Amino acid sequence: MVEQLLQRIFDELAFLRANMATKEDVAMLTNDIRALESRVSHIEQTMATKDDIASIEQRMATKDDIASIEQRMATKDDI
């Protein structure tokens, strides 16, 4: 009975050693997380938001605007 208990304890210990994260594993993950946070921060700072795009679209000339301008413009031949 004692042998079975010891064997179970050793099996659980072996399982824990095989499956637990070490301090080094956690440190590497922490570094990876920091690098990802930095990349996400850079993306957030440089990408346009939906509001930015809506603002640009409001200020852009449409095809109809350009056609109207072209109709009213003088050409070299007109001058």
Side-chain angles (χ1 to χ4, degrees):
M1 175 140 169
V2 173
E3 288 178 17
Q4 290 176 341
L5 181 59
L6 281 174
Q7 186 58 47
R8 196 168 121 207
I9 291 170
F10 287 137
D11 290 345
E12 289 183 21
L13 183 58
F15 175 82
L16 289 173
R17 284 183 177 158
N19 293 294
M20 70 180 205
T22 64
K23 289 181 182 180
E24 291 81 15
D25 294 334
V26 173
M28 286 184 351
L29 287 173
T30 301
N31 291 338
D32 290 346
I33 290 170
R34 286 187 184 128
L36 285 173
E37 286 173 342
S38 176
R39 290 175 64 189
V40 168
S41 176
H42 175 73
I43 290 169
E44 288 174 341
Q45 290 172 5
T46 57
M47 67 183 266
T49 65
K50 289 180 181 180
D51 292 338
D52 295 333
I53 293 171
S55 174
I56 291 167
E57 287 175 344
Q58 289 174 352
R59 293 181 282 139
M60 283 177 56
T62 64
K63 289 181 182 178
D64 293 338
D65 294 334
I66 293 170
S68 173
I69 291 167
E70 287 175 342
Q71 289 174 355
R72 291 182 282 132
M73 283 178 60
T75 64
K76 288 181 182 178
D77 294 336
D78 295 335
I79 296 175

